[in-house]
C-alpha cells in the first residue's frame, strides 16, 4: 500500500479495529437500517457470488450469505485482521462464506467472478477512489451490480456532529481533518460519487440521498457510552490522552444531547445516507 491507504490500514489494524470488535453488537444494531437499504437495492438472489467490500466484523457478509443461500457464495473483504477475526468467528458454521484480508484498491481479484458487490460504509477510505472502483469493477461479471452506502452531509449526521461538539467542549479541538480526504464523509457529495463511478467505467449509475433513522439499542446512557468509544469523541480523547473524568464529562454532554431523539420505541438518531448503485458493462 502507499499514501493514505497505508494510513487507513494502520488505523483499522490498531485501536479502531479493537473498538469496533468490542462494540460489534451495538454498532451492528445502530447501522442495521443502512444495511437494510444496501441489501434492498442489491436484490441478491439464490446462487449468486457476492463481494462485500469493507465487511468489518461481518454483519453484512452474514446477511448476504443468507440471501444467496447454500448455492451462492459471499466473500467479505477488509484490511483489519482484528475485525476479520471476529467475522470469521461469527461465520464458522456457514459453508458459503469466506473472508479476505486485503485492500480492495490493490487486491488482485479473479476477473469476472462476482454477480454483485455490496458495501455498508466500506468504500469511503480510498486514497484513489477512481482506481479502487476500477480495480473492483474488473472482478465483476458483465452486467453485475453494485450497491453501496456512504455518509451524507456532515451537518445532517448528528451521530458525528454531536460527538465532535461534546468532545471539543471538554478537551478542545483536535487537528482539522479534510472531509474530502479518505474518511467517513469523502463520498458525501452525490455528484462526486457519480463522477468517480463514471471514471471507473461503471454504467447505469443511480445515486440517492436518503434521510433515515439510526436505531441504537439501549438507554440514552448506553448510547452515549458507545459514542464516547467510537467516532469523533473517541478520536479526540485519544488525541488528547483524555482521562476517565474527561470521558465521563463527554458522555454526560452526549446524554443530554440525545434527549430529543427519544421515542416510545427507543432512540432514533436522524442520519443522511448516500446510497449508490451501478453496473459493470
Amino acid at each position: 500500500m502507499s499514501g493514505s491507504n497505508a494510513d487507513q490500514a494502520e488505523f483499522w489494524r490498531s485501536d479502531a479495529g479493537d473498538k469496533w470488535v468490542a462494540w460489534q453488537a451495538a454498532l451492528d444494531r445502530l447501522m442495521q437500517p443502512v444495511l437494510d437499504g444496501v441489501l434492498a437495492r442489491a436484490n441478491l438472489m439464490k446462487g449468486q457470488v457476492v463481494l462485500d467490500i469493507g465487511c468489518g466484523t461481518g454483519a453484512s457478509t452474514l446477511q448476504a450469505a443468507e440471501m444467496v443461500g447454500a448455492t451462492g457464495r459471499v466473500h467479505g473483504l477488509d484490511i483489519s485482521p482484528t475485525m476479520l477475526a471476529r467475522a470469521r468467528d461469527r461465520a464458522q458454521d456457514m459453508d458459503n462464506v469466506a473472508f479476505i484480508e486485503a485492500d480492495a484498491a490493490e487486491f488482485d481479484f479473479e476477473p469476472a467472478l462476482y454477480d454483485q458487490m455490496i458495501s455498508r460504509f466500506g468504500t469511503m477510505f480510498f486514497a484513489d477512489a477512481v482506481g479502487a472502483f476500477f480495480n473492483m469493477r474488473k472482478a465483476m461479471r458483465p452486467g453485475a451490480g453494485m450497491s453501496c452506502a456512504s455518509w451524507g452531509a456532515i451537518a445532517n449526521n448528528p451521530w458525528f456532529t454531536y460527538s465532535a461538539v461534546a468532545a471539543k467542549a471538554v478537551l478542545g479541538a483536535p487537528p482539522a481533518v479534510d472531509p474530502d480526504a479518505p474518511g467517513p464523509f469523502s463520498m458525501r457529495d452525490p455528484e462526486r460519487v457519480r463522477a468517480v463511478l463514471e471514471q471507473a467505467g461503471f454504467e447505469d449509475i443511480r445515486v440517492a440521498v436518503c434521510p433515515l433513522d439510526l436505531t441504537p439499542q439501549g438507554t440514552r446512557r448506553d448510547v452515549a457510552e458507545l459514542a464516547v468509544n467510537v467516532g469523533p469523541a473517541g478520536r479526540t480523547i485519544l488525541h488528547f490522552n483524555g482521562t476517565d473524568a474527561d470521558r465521563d464529562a463527554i458522555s454526560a454532554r452526549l446524554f443530554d444531547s440525545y434527549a430529543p431523539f427519544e421515542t416510545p420505541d427507543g432512540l432514533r438518531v436522524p442520519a443522511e445516507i448516500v446510497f449508490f448503485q451501478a453496473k459493470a458493462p
Side-chain angles (χ1 to χ4, degrees):
M1 296 183 196
S2 60
S4 295
N5 277 16
D7 295 338
Q8 288 294 323
E10 176 61 27
F11 176 75
W12 289 107
R13 288 170 178 165
S14 57
D15 183 69
D18 292 338
K19 285 187 175 180
W20 274 69
V21 169
W23 293 90
Q24 168 251 307
L27 288 165
D28 285 351
R29 170 64 181 267
L30 175 76
M31 298 178 183
Q32 186 61 47
V34 180
L35 180 54
D36 289 342
V38 169
L39 294 176
R41 289 166 173 81
N43 191 30
L44 301 182
M45 296 182 289
K46 301 295 184 183
Q48 286 187 322
V49 183
V50 178
L51 177 64
D52 181 10
I53 299 292
C55 67
T57 57
S60 47
T61 309
L62 301 185
Q63 292 182 45
E66 292 181 358
M67 297 174 74
V68 301
T71 59
R73 287 178 289 156
V74 182
H75 296 163
L77 182 146
D78 205 281
I79 60 175
S80 170
T82 309
M83 290 195 284
L84 285 175
R86 177 66 181 132
R88 290 188 176 101
D89 182 62
R90 298 173 72 184
Q92 59 184 322
D93 296 326
M94 302 186 73
D95 295 332
N96 63 342
V97 171
F99 293 98
I100 305 166
E101 182 185 336
D103 178 2
E106 300 181 354
F107 185 66
D108 186 16
F109 291 105
E110 180 181 335
L113 174 62
Y114 296 105
D115 300 298
Q116 184 72 241
M117 287 192 184
I118 61 170
S119 182
R120 184 204 68 182
F121 296 149
T123 61
M124 307 172 295
F125 304 99
F126 299 121
D128 175 9
V130 173
F133 278 102
F134 178 81
N135 190 52
M136 291 185 284
R137 182 177 64 76
K138 292 188 297 182
M140 300 170 70
R141 293 174 179 167
M146 177 177 66
S147 175
C148 306
S150 61
W151 294 101
I154 299 171
N156 296 335
N157 281 292
W159 180 252
F160 285 88
T161 57
Y162 284 23
S163 180
V165 167
K168 180 180 178 180
V170 174
L171 290 169
V177 176
D178 180 0
D180 293 323
F185 294 102
S186 67
M187 303 287 281
R188 69 191 184 282
D189 181 356
E191 293 309 311
R192 179 175 187 267
V193 172
R194 186 177 298 277
V196 165
L197 297 179
E198 287 176 348
Q199 291 175 56
F202 283 92
E203 300 178 346
D204 192 16
I205 299 166
R206 287 166 283 173
V207 185
V209 179
C210 300
L212 55 74
D213 288 340
L214 305 180
T215 56
Q217 188 171 27
T219 66
R220 262 200 292 158
R221 190 73 64 194
D222 296 328
V223 179
E225 186 64 17
L226 172 62
V228 164
N229 281 277
V230 179
R235 289 192 291 273
T236 301
I237 291 168
L238 185 64
H239 176 77
F240 287 106
N241 294 314
T243 65
D244 288 344
D246 294 328
R247 297 173 64 86
D248 291 344
I250 295 169
S251 181
R253 286 178 176 271
L254 287 169
F255 176 81
D256 292 338
S257 297
Y258 293 152
F261 304 147
E262 284 193 314
T263 77
D265 298 320
L267 260 67
R268 296 293 181 267
V269 181
E272 181 180 279
I273 307 298
V274 179
F275 291 102
F276 53 98
Q277 301 162 260
K279 289 186 178 180

